[in-house]
Amino acid sequence: MTATRPVVWAVVRDLGRTGVPIALARLATWPATSEAVDLHLIARHDGPLRTELERAGIGVTALEPADGRSRAATVAAGASHLGRTDAGAAVLGAAWRRRIRNLPAPDTVLVQGAGAWPVAEALRAEAAPRIVVHLHELEVAVRRSIGPSSLPSLAAADQVLAVSEPVASLARSLGVPDDRLSIVGGTVDLVSSAARGRTDVVSVGEAGWRKGTDRAVAAAHVLRRREPTLRWHWIGRALEPGWAFAVDAPLPILHHAPVADPWSVVHEPAALVVPSREDPLPLVALEAAARSVPVIACRGAGGLDGLLAEGRGWLVDPTDPGDLAATVAEVVAARPTAGPEALRDHVERHHTLEAVGPRWLHALTGGT
Amino acid sequence: MIAVPRVVLVGHDASATGAPLTALAFARWAAASGAAHVEVLLDRGGPLVAGFEAVAPTHVRARAAGEVVAAADALGGLSAGRWARRGALLTARPPTGADVTVVAASVAAWRSAAAVARGGRRLVLWLHELDGVADRVVPASERAILLEATSRIVAVEARVAAMATERWGVAEDRVSVVGSFVDPLGDGAAAGQATAHPPHDVVGVGSLVPRKGADHLVALTALFRQRGRDLRSAWVGGPLDGPYADLVRTDRAAAGLEDVLDLVGPVDDVGPWWPASGVVVHLAREDPAPLVVIEAGLRAIPVVTWDTGGAADLLRTAGLGHLVADAGDLVAVADAVEALLDDGAGRAEAGAALRAAATARTTDRLAPALLQAFTGGRG
């Protein structure tokens, strides 16, 4: 039966340990996937997930190194600086297509996240495959990755998968019809409930505007005045140049570099805090749920409003650092169980591989 | 007869931003006082070119040459950028003579200044930056090469000097500090003369880039609304069409503040926007030498800031340490702003104290010391 499996190119911006690539890796390495499709993963930038994917038998082509640039990308950057952006893009696209010329022609191209859209456009598979877009972003991130001239192509995709209802709503506003739109959320493996301490809370993700690092810093200052023994950890890539505070400025948050398992960094976290501005459905919230760790988030960021509704978590006013700090302090002190258990039940029903995987594969195969 | 020292100021551009504005103030003072003969070499042009040309022989690198250098730098190749820069300098007619002092007027101009100083001329780095900018503009590997060619570093603030000595490893006797400065106020620009339209309670001034932290002003305004206080605020500076401006507008819309928070964009004259009976906030993530705080101080307008650069040091010098919050402590900033807005007498007192400190930071007071630091007393 292997010969009849449809060939799928899954295109992703990078193989770093962030939400979009990890979401793909979980579905790609699900045993049912290799039975259903012949999957080839193409990433613009290499990264640490590559090893895990290859170990699972998935072919991976990284077009650019994790850090630095290929010769073609260097030429493209130079051309761009000289005002020859189109010529540079043509050089880069040709170089990338040479890298994948030995791959079997795809029946389906999966565009994993808006950040992969420019890569998929540059690759231009010639056999007119089905295009499936799995959107993991909200407005700012989508518009940053997909230019206005490409939005009609997005709307014309054969299938658009959204990780949460706010993302689906954005897709509708961009012209995606309901009959080609479905919700395919993130996945998580349930694990044993973690023991909960009283001294440490964590936030996880690439520090910056989107993840609301400034909100965390502001709230952590208030919290430090109120509960001096409570420590707030941030696990993830550091702020980009220009966004970082002066190096000698003392901050109330302990930063940790990204690691394969962020839950190994802090022993017995009392809560997960998600202060994001835009976060369609952070996998780390599902991971916290899987461990029965309470989740506190800023309202209005995306999929968390639904995930944490009905008492499954705590949603606070994003404009009030005092509210966030007070909620963190109260949750840490009260050590609630009902909310985290309700969230865990919800995740078990809606976000395991068994719950999500079949819908994802159905989209990739077109129901065949 | 005493020889007048020759100084070549090499700048990265002539934008109306901190380092170029201070360089122009220095060149203007040198021309007016006759204390030095200044020539100006610029990697790129900008709105201050006419100002430089009015007071000093000024050469702007040919546009095509500048593009080649920018492309070479973008590629990250040290040698490529160096050779491109040497070739490009030929188009800018560098001055001749071994007796000149070549001053890199910013870290961004350091490479070009080093190329001009080849052949044994004295090279001085006029250091306006802190780590975030300095490391990005000149990576550590290249910095080591440039430091070898540099006789002296003149830092604009003590914490900038500390970066050079503590984190770059430069010997303390090669580093001096001469504070950043602005020209004294002209007639009619004194305290309380501002005519903001419409009047704003809280104003931030600076480029609309992440480092200057306009998003913090949005968060501050939102926090005031959450507290039930609808104050009017404004951010003066651009560009309004950059990606960061989009994020700031997104924040403003999400908080529903379009009616009370103005994004003014770039202006030729900040004058009308100074809050005559309000407060300036300076919430940069990193800002070594905030001229805007000196400007506000000269107008006796109080400033609330956090501890990320020279603004905090200036406020402490003025005895206003209570107006300095920890970095990122938005609630503490809001409390300090609110206290000032609610207390006219306290606001006036803070403004007067800041004016006393800012008065010591004018061109006429500091430019002579700066010239001395540049030339090392060489005539």
Side-chain angles (χ1 to χ4, degrees), chain A residues 71-364:
Chain A
R71 256 182 251 165
T74 302
V75 170
S80 176
H81 270 270
L82 294 173
R84 305 283 187 270
T85 303
D86 289 349
V91 170
L92 192 58
W96 286 353
R97 288 192 292 278
R98 275 197 300 278
R99 294 289 311 281
I100 58 167
R101 64 178 181 265
N102 292 329
L103 294 182
D107 299 296
T108 299
V109 172
L110 168 66
V111 182
Q112 177 75 3
W117 185 268
V119 188
E121 277 195 325
L123 294 178
R124 283 205 317 257
E126 290 174 2
R130 296 178 69 249
I131 301 294
V132 177
V133 182
H134 199 169
L135 272 183
H136 290 66
E137 295 84 3
L138 287 164
E139 179 125 19
V140 171
V142 165
R143 292 191 185 278
R144 187 180 288 172
S145 298
I146 305 177
S149 62
S150 294
L151 286 175
S153 302
L154 171 70
D158 296 281
Q159 188 75 41
V160 174
L161 314 178
V163 294
S164 62
E165 181 49 43
V167 177
S169 177
L170 170 66
R172 283 185 206 100
S173 75
L174 296 173
V176 179
D178 274 330
D179 62 347
R180 284 191 270 124
L181 178 64
S182 53
I183 292 181
V184 175
T187 64
V188 69
D189 292 329
L190 293 178
V191 296
S192 307
S193 295
R196 241 186 285 155
R198 287 180 177 275
T199 56
D200 299 87
V201 298
V202 297
S203 296
V204 181
E206 192 172 325
W209 178 87
R210 200 171 68 79
K211 290 289 183 181
T213 310
D214 55 323
R215 292 175 173 176
V217 170
H221 276 297
V222 179
L223 194 59
R224 190 163 63 176
R225 287 191 279 275
R226 175 177 168 152
E227 303 285 347
T229 59
L230 219 165
R231 290 171 298 196
W232 193 323
H233 304 259
W234 191 287
I235 305 162
R237 197 182 298 173
L239 289 158
E240 287 183 4
W243 288 90
F245 280 107
V247 296
D248 56 354
L251 295 175
I253 285 187
L254 302 166
H255 178 257
H256 306 268
V259 293
D261 177 15
W263 297 98
S264 67
V265 175
V266 174
H267 188 57
E268 299 182 356
L272 171 77
V273 187
V274 187
S276 300
R277 285 175 169 81
E278 273 201 356
D279 226 340
L281 187 66
L283 288 179
V284 69
L286 303 182
E287 291 169 358
R291 291 163 173 78
S292 303
V293 171
V295 180
I296 303 160
C298 286
R299 196 174 289 121
L304 283 174
D305 288 22
L307 186 73
L308 303 181
E310 298 167 354
R312 293 189 288 264
W314 289 260
L315 290 162
V316 304
D317 180 349
T319 66
D320 186 356
D323 187 20
L324 179 53
T327 304
V328 169
E330 285 159 17
V331 168
V332 171
R335 305 177 96 176
T337 55
E341 289 309 320
L343 182 58
R344 183 183 162 94
D345 290 346
H346 180 86
V347 164
E348 186 170 8
R349 282 198 305 277
H350 299 289
H351 291 285
T352 57
L353 277 165
E354 289 70 25
V356 175
R359 273 179 285 141
W360 183 71
L361 283 177
H362 185 269
L364 293 190

Side-chain angles (χ1 to χ4, degrees), chain B residues 101-303:
Chain B
T101 295
V102 179
V103 175
S106 66
V107 168
W110 201 0
R111 299 182 183 102
S112 293
V116 173
R118 285 174 71 229
R121 299 183 181 100
R122 176 181 167 86
L123 173 62
V124 174
L125 172 61
W126 189 6
L127 188 51
H128 295 256
E129 295 83 2
L130 280 169
D131 307 75
V133 174
D135 291 350
R136 187 167 77 245
V137 174
V138 176
S141 57
E142 189 175 1
R143 185 170 66 225
I145 297 169
L146 291 169
L147 278 172
E148 278 193 23
T150 303
S151 303
R152 181 151 208 87
I153 291 176
V154 180
V156 296
E157 298 288 342
R159 67 175 74 197
V160 176
M163 174 186 72
T165 56
E166 294 169 12
R167 298 193 282 281
W168 292 6
V170 181
E172 287 187 12
D173 61 2
R174 287 176 62 200
V175 181
S176 51
V177 179
V178 178
S180 52
F181 49 79
V182 303
D183 288 337
L185 295 185
D187 294 340
Q193 298 302 305
T195 53
H197 44 84
H200 292 93
D201 306 292
V202 179
V203 172
V205 182
S207 300
L208 207 46
V209 296
R211 190 170 63 82
K212 296 288 187 179
D215 53 307
H216 295 132
L217 176 65
V218 181
L220 181 69
T221 309
L223 178 54
F224 274 113
R225 172 165 283 185
Q226 197 277 333
R227 288 180 176 186
R229 181 165 193 153
D230 255 351
L231 52 73
R232 292 197 61 86
S233 59
W235 185 270
V236 183
L240 290 176
D241 57 355
Y244 177 66
D246 287 343
L247 298 185
V248 173
R249 272 191 288 267
T250 299
D251 275 356
R252 184 178 65 168
L257 297 173
E258 290 100 329
D259 55 333
V260 295
L261 198 162
D262 292 316
L263 295 175
V264 175
V267 296
D268 291 333
D269 177 16
V270 179
W273 298 97
W274 292 113
S277 54
V279 176
V280 166
V281 290
H282 187 78
L283 303 178
R285 292 176 163 85
E286 176 189 280
D287 203 356
L291 302 182
V292 65
V293 178
I294 304 175
E295 294 269 10
L298 291 175
R299 291 164 174 81
I301 298 169
V303 175

